[in-house]
Amino acid sequence: MAKTLVEIKRGLDCQIGKRLKLTANGGRRKTVERYGTLAETYPAVFIVALDQEENAFERVSYSYADILTETVELNFIEDRSVVAVGEQ
């Protein structure tokens, strides 16, 4: 797991435009899985553009702290292989 928010942001900066699977804690023992593309990164948050055929929302945003605390997990999809962000 990445140790700082800066390292997480740097890792996401080079993944912009790539497909991913987002797994988020939905509360009350619920886990939400969504597919989309990493659209943008900002100093405090990142934005994921979701697949429209599967989701009612166009985009969602999360903070880098959500990855650090493992509330959100991003798995990038590359030619049948999965790359997890925040793992070493």
Side-chain angles (χ1 to χ4, degrees), residues 1-80:
M1 185 167 85
K3 300 207 175 19
T4 67
L5 299 176
V6 174
E7 290 174 0
I8 293 170
K9 182 179 181 327
R10 283 186 197 143
L12 290 178
D13 283 341
C14 62
Q15 300 287 339
I16 291 176
K18 294 190 178 175
R19 297 252 327 130
L20 59 85
K21 173 183 165 187
L22 178 125
T23 307
N25 181 353
R28 294 201 179 219
R29 300 182 196 168
K30 294 180 189 172
T31 303
V32 178
E33 289 186 357
R34 297 182 175 132
Y35 290 89
T37 306
L38 182 61
E40 301 174 74
T41 59
Y42 293 100
V45 297
F46 62 94
I47 296 175
V48 177
L50 300 175
D51 294 344
Q52 288 304 299
E53 58 273 358
E54 297 177 6
N55 301 291
F57 309 34
E58 287 185 27
R59 353 186 261 170
V60 290
S61 63
Y62 293 98
S63 70
Y64 303 112
D66 292 331
I67 294 176
L68 186 65
T69 60
E70 299 179 359
T71 304
V72 173
E73 180 182 330
L74 301 178
N75 293 310
F76 288 91
I77 303 166
E78 295 181 13
D79 299 327
R80 300 183 186 136

